Amino acid sequence: MRMRYCLLGLLLLVIVISSCNQQPELNSDKVLLPEHNVVWADTIIYEVLLTNPDELNEWETTKLQGVNSKKIVDDLFKMVYDGEKKAYNYYTNEELSIKQVEEIERRDDYSRDKLGKLQFTETWEMDLANKKMDKKVLSILLAYELYNDSNELRGYKAAFYLKDF
């Protein structure tokens, strides 16, 4: 009987010791950060103007002076048309075919020149030890300007979004 308890104790000791040496499994849903990194935003959504709809707003004009809006828009469309990125419907989250993206471009109320806003969805992490910030872009939404009958900006409408940057 004593031998049985000794063997059981020895087996238990081996299990405990071997479990201490195992590396934790990486869960794809959770990212393990270095201990000096902190998550500032696990998801943040914000908008960026591509064009200044108000010529009298000097601050917006100054902020946009170094932005090549046409290049950004053309590159995002090229990624879709070349099959490098998928376009998604903002309202349904369904993947759009290239034909559906072409249909968006043929709408009467749409033109690439009217793409006036991008909406970014990102995660932000801060490396406190090195004072460096890491921003990961999860998606970019393209929105175009809508005007009323008096040619005044009414707002913006989502064209589509791209993800996985």
Side-chain angles (χ1 to χ4, degrees), residues 4 7 33 35 40-41 70 99 135 158:
R4 184 186 254 176
L7 285 175
L33 300 175
E35 63 186 54
W40 274 8
K70 181 175 176 8
K99 183 178 178 180
K135 296 169 72 170

Side-chain angles (χ1 to χ4, degrees), residues 95-109:
E95 185 179 316
L96 299 174
S97 68
I98 290 176
K99 183 178 178 180
Q100 289 171 306
V101 174
E102 290 170 340
E103 288 171 7
I104 291 170
E105 290 210 81
R106 286 193 296 270
R107 287 185 193 156
D108 290 338
D109 65 343

Side-chain angles (χ1 to χ4, degrees), residues 65-140:
Q65 68 186 358
V67 177
N68 189 342
S69 300
K70 181 175 176 8
K71 178 77 172 137
I72 292 169
V73 170
D74 289 346
D75 285 349
L76 291 172
F77 271 90
K78 185 175 180 337
M79 289 176 203
V80 172
Y81 288 140
D82 288 350
E84 297 168 349
K85 292 285 182 191
K86 302 284 185 189
Y88 295 87
N89 182 300
Y90 173 71
Y91 303 100
T92 66
N93 296 317
E94 292 177 14
E95 185 179 316
L96 299 174
S97 68
I98 290 176
K99 183 178 178 180
Q100 289 171 306
V101 174
E102 290 170 340
E103 288 171 7
I104 291 170
E105 290 210 81
R106 286 193 296 270
R107 287 185 193 156
D108 290 338
D109 65 343
Y110 173 85
S111 89
R112 286 194 190 187
D113 294 336
K114 289 184 180 179
L115 281 167
K117 215 178 243 193
L118 298 176
Q119 178 180 284
F120 289 88
T121 302
E122 299 178 346
T123 59
W124 292 358
E125 294 175 12
M126 183 63 179
D127 178 342
L128 295 173
N130 297 305
K131 309 301 183 260
K132 296 202 183 244
M133 185 175 183
D134 181 37
K135 296 169 72 170
K136 183 174 191 281
V137 177
L138 304 175
S139 68
I140 302 173

